[in-house]
Amino acid sequence: MKSLRSHLSTNDLARLFADGGRAAGRPSPLPQAENDAVVEVERTANKYGMVSLAGRYLLAAEILGGRRVTVRIEENTLMFLDPDTAGCCAPARTR
């Protein structure tokens, strides 16, 4: 399958959406997240203490290098939890 650039302008797309159009493809099987939703994922920190989320590397803590960590994602905060010690490292504010 080959992707091609659309011939439609942003105005054309806006008009289609206003007329009830929707994005192509299947709808997500996941429910829509609520505003106050909290997500937790597990990642293994690399030897530098960084974890990968959504294609980006984030510095958790160098001391966590090589260990499995839980990343708790809240609306404005990321927390890196070490399940072995039940401790919290490097709470960081998100934008």
Side-chain angles (χ1 to χ4, degrees):
M1 178 178 276
K2 183 176 180 181
S3 295
L4 299 174
R5 176 178 263 184
S6 174
H7 66 280
L8 299 174
S9 70
T10 55
N11 290 336
D12 294 333
L13 294 174
R15 189 175 71 246
L16 286 172
F17 280 114
D19 291 340
R22 64 176 181 82
R26 297 185 311 209
S28 173
L30 301 175
Q32 185 69 24
E34 297 176 18
N35 287 343
D36 58 349
V38 173
V39 176
E40 287 188 0
V41 296
E42 290 188 358
R43 296 288 188 269
T44 300
N46 67 16
K47 67 180 181 179
Y48 304 108
M50 300 181 83
V51 296
S52 176
L53 281 175
R56 296 182 180 194
Y57 279 95
L58 303 170
L59 178 60
E62 192 173 347
I63 195 170
L64 296 175
R67 300 177 75 172
R68 195 78 173 159
V69 296
T70 300
V71 183
R72 182 179 170 95
I73 306 165
E74 297 178 1
E75 185 175 353
N76 295 312
T77 307
L78 286 176
M79 286 184 275
F80 300 94
L81 307 163
D82 180 359
D84 293 336
T85 62
C88 177
C89 292
R93 302 294 288 182
T94 59
R95 294 179 209 173

